[in-house]
Each structure stands twice: as C-alpha cells, then as structure tokens.
Amino acid sequence: MDFTDDQMLKAISNNDDVKNCYEKITDACIELKSKTGCPDDDVDRFLKFIIGKWQ
C-alpha cells in the first residue's frame, strides 16, 4: 500500500520513531551534500538508488 504525502507527514509529526528516522535521513542527506558539494538532484538520485538496498 502506498502512503500519500499527507499520511507520511502525519506519521512524521505523530510518531516519535518515524520522526527520529526522518530527521536522521534528512541530516545524512544534508551532510552528504555539504561534504561532497553535490546538487540536490544527485542526493535525490542517491536516495532512489538505495531504496530497497538497505536490507
């Protein structure tokens, strides 16, 4: 089942575990961009690449 953006945002704001993970992922992306100087598109492509590969 796919979640809508609204459902995801509600989960992030209402569930501490989801919010914590969201913040960690966001911080990691900011760090990656800062340390490599890559554009946002590259970070987006990186996130799409690792979907499903984290297991």
Side-chain angles (χ1 to χ4, degrees):
M1 176 177 137
D2 291 337
F3 294 98
T4 65
D5 287 353
D6 188 50
Q7 289 172 317
M8 287 291 197
L9 291 171
K10 284 181 183 176
I12 291 167
S13 62
N14 295 330
N15 184 306
D16 288 337
D17 292 326
V18 175
K19 182 177 182 178
N20 185 37
C21 287
Y22 174 80
E23 289 171 352
K24 287 179 182 179
I25 293 167
T26 301
D27 290 345
C29 290
I30 291 168
E31 181 180 351
L32 176 65
K33 183 177 176 175
S34 172
K35 288 185 175 183
T36 64
C38 65
D40 290 345
D41 286 347
D42 287 353
V43 176
D44 290 346
R45 275 187 235 116
F46 177 72
L47 288 170
K48 288 176 185 173
F49 171 78
I50 63 171
I51 291 172
K53 293 179 177 23
W54 56 270
Q55 293 179 346

